[in-house]
Amino acid sequence: MSRKGISDKVAVIGMGCTRFAEHWDKSVEDLLVEAAYEAFNDAGIEPKDIEAAWLGTMISGYAGITLSGALKTQYIPVTRVENMCATGSEAFRNACYAVASGAYDMVLAIGVEKLKDSGLSGLNTPKPPSDGTAPNFSAPASFSFLAPAYFKKYGLTKEQGREVLSRIAYKNHYNGSLNPKAQYRSEVPMDKISNSPLVAAPLGIMDCSGVADGAAAAIIVRSEDAHKYSKEPMYVKALSIAAGPGDGRLRQDFDFTSIKENVVASQAAYREAGIKDPRKEISMAEVHDCFTPTELVIYEDLGLSERGQGWKDVLNGVFELDGELPVNPDGGLKSFGHPIGASGLRMLYEMYLQFQGKAGKRQLDNPKLGLTHNLGGSPMQCVSFVSVVGKELS
Amino acid sequence: MKGIISYGAYVPYNRLQRKKISEFFGKLGPAGEKAVAGYDEDSISMGVEAALDCLNGINPHDVDAVYFATVSSPYKEKGSVGTIATALSLKETVRGIETASSLRSGTSSMLSAQPDEKTLVIASDCRTGAPTGQNELWFGDGAVSFLMGSGDNVIASMVDQGSLQGEIISQWRSQEDRFTQTWEERLGSTVFLKQVKETITPFLERNSRSADSLSKVIISGPGIRAHSQAASALGFKKEQLENPLFDSVGDTGNAHAPMMLVSALETAKPGDQLLVIAFAEGLDYMLFEVTDAIKELKDRKGVNGCLAFKNDQILYSDYLKWRDLIETEPARRPATDRPSAPALYRKHRQNLSFTGSKCRRCGTARFPHQRVCIQCQAKDEMEDYCFVGQSAKVMTYTLDHLAASPAPPMIVAVIDFVHGGRIICEVTDCSPAEIEIGMNMEMTFRRLYEAGGISNYFWKARPIRQKESV
C-alpha cells in the first residue's frame, strides 16, 4: 500500500438510491434510512458493521448527527461534508481515503438533500452575512453565460446552438424514461424542449435540471476484502477534485467556453487511472448536466470531444445510449433532478448497476470503465470532481 | 467674484408618458412625459451621476466643500454626504452638509458657496405624488451639479445674488406623509407673483439690467403656470423664458431651477446674462454673466445629453412597482438579506468609488480588491485602481427570469474593461432586446436595493449610447 493515489485500493460492495422526486411525504430521515438500508441489504451487512460514515448534504442538516440520529448508529464517527453541488462526490471521496488509509475496514458514504420543503424556486444557497453587492443572479443564469460564448467562438447560429442544447436534453430525458428511479420518466419532444419558457435566456426551463429530493449511499471496503461481501464489487480507479481560484470572475482570458477546474480534475483522474485516451477507454460517463450548455462544455473539458467539436459529436449521437460513448445513461440531473448532496452518489449508483448488468432497459454492452463528474459552484469558479470506476482490478 | 466653474446633469433614462397615468384612471390628461428614477435609483445615486458629469476633467481632490440638496433623501436619519463624497473620490477632509426639506436648498447652496473655495453643489430629487393627483403628473426625477468657485475658469460669474424669506404653506410633506401635499395653487402663485415683483424689480435696477438685456430668465415657481406669469409681470418676452422642462422631465424639486440653468448654459455665449429665480417659502435669485471660459469647457452629457436617450415605453404599472405603490406577488426566491454593516464599513471605499486593485508585479487590474494576485500569485503587492469612467465591453450575458428583480428579466453580463479587469454585474437602462456580445458599456452608480432600512449603493453597467442623428 505504498503506491500513491487511490487506484484499485478500495471497492464499493453495496449501494442504495431512493427514487428522486418531489417527496412531499418523506423527510430527510426517511430518505437517509431508505438509501442506507438498501445499501446495507445490497452488501449483505448489518448497520453495526459500519465503522465510520461520511454524510454529504448542503442545506438539509448540520453535522454528523443528521445521519447518526436517523440511522441510530452507535457512537461511530460521522463527518458531514459540504462542497456545493459536488457534496455527494465529496462524501464518497473522503470515505474512500479513510478506508485506503487503513483506519477503517468498512465505511458508509451517503448523500441526501430535501429541496422541496423550502417553497422557493430553483436552488437556494444560504449566504453568509456580506456587503450584499454581489449580483443576485440565479444558478441557470451563471451557466447560461456558456451558451452565447460557445456559439460565438465556434460560429454556431442561434438556431444551431438551440438544436445542440435540445439534443442534450432530449438524450437525457430519453435515458431517464428508461429509469424507474428518475424524477421524470417520459421522453420530451425536441420542439417542446426548444420552445420551453425562458429561465435564463437563451436557456429555457427544459435546459435546466429539475429540483428534487433524494438520497444515495455506498458501502466501501478495501479491494482485497471486496469479494467477502460481493461477487461484483465496483473498484475505484481514480478520485480527483479541483477547486478554482476564480478565473472566470477576474480574468479576461477566461472565455466561458471551458471550465478549467474540469480540465485539471479530469487530467489528474486519467493519470491516476492510467487512461491515455478517455474517449476510447471509458465505456460510459455520468456528468454534471445541471444545464444543457454545461454538459456541452464538459465533453470538451474532459477530453471526450476535441475542442470546438463537442456540438458536432452531440448532433452525431456520440453520447447517446447506443452511441460511441454513452453519457448520462441513467438520465442525468436532467431526469433525476438535483438533490445536491445525493447527486454525486447517484451517478456512482448508475456505474454500479451497469457493471452488474442491472441497468434494465438502459443496460450497456459489458461496460468496463466508467467516469463520474460532479461540479459545485459556477463556471466562473467551482469545485470539479472526477472519478473513474471499474468492473475489474487492473 | 464667485461663479460657476463647471456643471453636470442627470436625467433618468426612463420616462413615463403622462397619458399612461391619465388613461389608467380613465381620464384625459396632459401631454408630455416625466423622467422617472429607475427601481435602482434615488436622489443619492442620481446626484452622484450628475456630480460625475460635472467633475469631468476636474481633480476631485480640489473640491473643498460639498452641499447635497434634496427633499427625498433615502434616510430620515443618516447623512448622505459620506456616501456621495466616497463615491466621487473626494478628499476625506472635504466639508459637507446635506440641506434637506426646503425646495430651495439647491439654489440656497449655490448662494452659500464661498468665493475662495471650490464648492460642489448637488441638487437632486425624486419625489412621489399621490396617484391621481396633479403632483404625480408633474413631478419628475433628476439631479444637477455645479462646481462653484472663483478664477479664470469660471464660465458664469455670479454678478449678484439674494434671498427673500416669505413664509407660506404652499407645498409640504410631514415626517409621516408619504406624498407631497399642495394648497390651492392660486395661493402659492399669487404670493409668488407679489414676492417677485417686490424683490426682482429692485434687484435688476440695483444691477442696472433692463428686462431686454437678459438672455435667459430661469424661473421655478409654484405649479406649472406661475413662472410665465412672473416673467411677463417683469416685462420679459416669451423667448427669453427658459424652458421649464415640464414636457420632457417634470418638476424635479430642488433640481428644477438648477437644471434649467444647466440647460441655459448649454447654449449660452460669452456675455450672456442669466437671471435665476427659485420659489419655496420665499425666493432665491441670482444674476449670472457668462464668460469666455465657457468655450473651453469640456464636453459633457448635461441635460441635453441625457434627454437624447430614453426609454419612454415604461408602463404606469412599472412606476407603481418601482415606487412601492402597489404590493405584488413576491418572487419564489429568498428575501434579500440586510447587508452586513461591518462588511459595508470594511469595503465602503472599494464599493462606493469602484476601486479595485492593480498588481505591482504583473500590472493586471482586478475588481474587487485582491490580496493575492490571480495572475502571478504575488501576495499584498496591490495598489488601488479606480474603474470609474473606463469603457468596457460585454463578453457574454444572460437574461435571468428566475432572479428576483423589480424589472425582470434581470440582465447580467460579464463586463471586460478595455484597460483590463472584469466584473460580472447587472446591466441597467437596457432592454433585453438590445444586449449583445461586444456592446460598449460604462459603469453607473446605483442603489442596488433597500433591505432592513439600509440602502446599498454599488455600480452597474449601462450601454454607452452614441448620439443618433435624428
Side-chain angles (χ1 to χ4, degrees), chain A residues 82-136:
Chain A
E82 181 279 313
N83 224 349
M84 291 184 92
C85 296
T87 293
S89 298
E90 189 63 300
F92 180 76
R93 178 173 164 269
N94 281 270
C96 288
Y97 286 127
V99 171
S101 77
Y104 305 106
D105 293 330
M106 185 184 294
V107 304
L108 170 69
I110 187 164
V112 67
E113 215 73 66
K114 186 103 190 79
L115 296 179
K116 291 304 297 184
D117 276 7
S118 77
L120 302 170
S121 300
L123 180 60
N124 301 286
T125 313
K127 295 184 183 76
S130 75
D131 67 11
T133 57
N136 189 26

Side-chain angles (χ1 to χ4, degrees), chain A residues 20 56-57 87-88 110-113 214-216 338-347:
Chain A
F20 282 22
T57 183
T87 293
I110 187 164
V112 67
E113 215 73 66
H338 183 24
I340 313 301
S343 287
L345 283 150
R346 183 269 301 161
M347 296 173 177

Side-chain angles (χ1 to χ4, degrees), chain B residues 115-266:
Chain B
D116 56 346
E117 288 187 331
K118 285 198 169 61
T119 303
L120 183 67
V121 173
I122 302 170
S124 178
D125 262 319
C126 179
R127 297 183 296 163
T128 308
T132 73
Q134 289 293 305
N135 286 337
E136 179 180 55
L137 285 170
W138 293 109
F139 284 179
D141 305 326
V144 165
S145 177
F146 293 104
L147 186 65
M148 312 284 296
S150 309
D152 293 343
N153 52 356
V154 164
I155 61 164
S157 304
M158 199 188 283
V159 178
D160 197 3
Q161 65 177 53
S163 278
L164 172 79
Q165 303 305 336
E167 171 60 1
I168 182 174
I169 303 287
S170 171
Q171 202 160 58
W172 70 99
R173 178 163 48 92
S174 77
Q175 284 276 347
E176 281 72 39
D177 285 345
R178 179 153 197 203
F179 304 113
T180 303
Q181 303 192 57
T182 308
W183 201 266
E184 230 181 317
E185 193 176 314
R186 284 196 310 284
L187 170 70
S189 51
T190 305
V191 172
F192 169 65
L193 266 180
K194 179 169 178 287
Q195 291 174 347
V196 164
K197 280 187 233 168
E198 290 176 1
T199 311
I200 302 302
T201 307
F203 176 69
L204 292 176
E205 281 169 10
R206 181 169 91 199
N207 287 290
S208 313
R209 299 298 201 279
S210 62
D212 59 3
S213 69
L214 295 175
S215 325
K216 283 286 181 194
V217 193
I218 290 124
I219 307 178
S220 172
I224 56 167
R225 279 173 290 271
H227 67 285
S228 55
Q229 294 162 354
S232 53
L234 290 170
F236 295 113
K237 296 194 196 80
K238 220 177 170 180
E239 52 271 26
Q240 284 171 284
L241 192 57
E242 181 63 36
N243 179 347
L245 301 168
F246 290 137
D247 284 348
S248 51
V249 182
D251 178 353
T252 49
N254 265 302
H256 187 218
M259 191 176 286
M260 292 160 70
L261 175 58
V262 169
S263 274
L265 288 168
E266 284 173 342

Side-chain angles (χ1 to χ4, degrees), chain B residues 147-387:
Chain B
L147 186 65
M148 312 284 296
S150 309
D152 293 343
N153 52 356
V154 164
I155 61 164
S157 304
M158 199 188 283
V159 178
D160 197 3
Q161 65 177 53
S163 278
L164 172 79
Q165 303 305 336
E167 171 60 1
I168 182 174
I169 303 287
S170 171
Q171 202 160 58
W172 70 99
R173 178 163 48 92
S174 77
Q175 284 276 347
E176 281 72 39
D177 285 345
R178 179 153 197 203
F179 304 113
T180 303
Q181 303 192 57
T182 308
W183 201 266
E184 230 181 317
E185 193 176 314
R186 284 196 310 284
L187 170 70
S189 51
T190 305
V191 172
F192 169 65
L193 266 180
K194 179 169 178 287
Q195 291 174 347
V196 164
K197 280 187 233 168
E198 290 176 1
T199 311
I200 302 302
T201 307
F203 176 69
L204 292 176
E205 281 169 10
R206 181 169 91 199
N207 287 290
S208 313
R209 299 298 201 279
S210 62
D212 59 3
S213 69
L214 295 175
S215 325
K216 283 286 181 194
V217 193
I218 290 124
I219 307 178
S220 172
I224 56 167
R225 279 173 290 271
H227 67 285
S228 55
Q229 294 162 354
S232 53
L234 290 170
F236 295 113
K237 296 194 196 80
K238 220 177 170 180
E239 52 271 26
Q240 284 171 284
L241 192 57
E242 181 63 36
N243 179 347
L245 301 168
F246 290 137
D247 284 348
S248 51
V249 182
D251 178 353
T252 49
N254 265 302
H256 187 218
M259 191 176 286
M260 292 160 70
L261 175 58
V262 169
S263 274
L265 288 168
E266 284 173 342
T267 53
K269 302 178 297 298
D272 279 1
Q273 311 284 311
L274 308 174
L275 174 66
V276 180
I277 304 169
F279 170 82
E281 303 91 38
L283 304 176
D284 285 332
Y285 43 96
M286 299 173 263
L287 178 63
F288 289 100
E289 184 169 312
V290 178
T291 73
D292 283 337
I294 200 162
K295 291 188 279 191
E296 311 302 323
L297 191 71
K298 285 186 73 166
D299 278 350
R300 61 204 54 230
K301 284 184 179 163
V303 176
N304 283 333
C306 290
L307 290 182
F309 302 102
K310 64 182 177 182
N311 168 20
D312 60 2
Q313 296 304 308
I314 68 163
L315 305 173
Y316 182 52
S317 57
D318 293 328
Y319 170 80
L320 292 174
K321 277 192 275 184
W322 298 351
R323 284 298 226 276
D324 266 334
L325 294 171
I326 48 168
E327 270 195 75
T328 55
E329 176 84 12
R332 288 186 202 280
R333 298 290 295 166
T336 303
D337 290 333
R338 174 174 84 166
S340 159
L344 288 175
Y345 165 70
R346 285 193 297 272
K347 297 187 174 177
H348 75 281
R349 222 171 66 76
Q350 165 186 289
N351 291 349
L352 297 175
S353 67
F354 206 54
T355 300
S357 56
K358 190 171 199 169
C359 179
R360 288 195 197 95
R361 199 178 292 175
C362 71
T364 50
R366 308 291 175 209
F367 189 91
H369 186 278
Q370 305 288 312
R371 288 287 298 274
V372 177
C373 178
I374 196 163
Q375 193 91 17
C376 72
Q377 283 79 51
K379 173 178 168 287
D380 291 332
E381 292 279 346
M382 299 293 174
E383 57 192 41
D384 286 349
Y385 184 80
C386 184
F387 285 88

Side-chain angles (χ1 to χ4, degrees), chain A residues 120-121 123-124 130-132 135 137-138 141 144-145 148 199-201 247-252 254-256 380, chain B residues 332-334 340 344 347 351 366-367 374-375 395-396 398-402 412 416-417 421-422 424 449 456:
Chain A
L120 302 170
S121 300
L123 180 60
N124 301 286
S130 75
D131 67 11
F137 53 87
S138 62
S144 73
F145 286 139
V199 170
D247 286 349
R249 298 179 196 285
L250 296 170
R251 292 178 64 145
Q252 292 194 358
F254 181 96
D255 72 358
F256 286 88
M380 295 82 84
Chain B
R332 288 186 202 280
R333 298 290 295 166
S340 159
L344 288 175
K347 297 187 174 177
N351 291 349
R366 308 291 175 209
F367 189 91
I374 196 163
Q375 193 91 17
M395 193 272 154
T396 185
T398 182
L399 309 177
D400 193 345
H401 295 259
L402 186 57
V412 187
D416 283 348
F417 291 92
R422 161 176 288 187
I424 301 172
Y449 54 84
N456 200 0

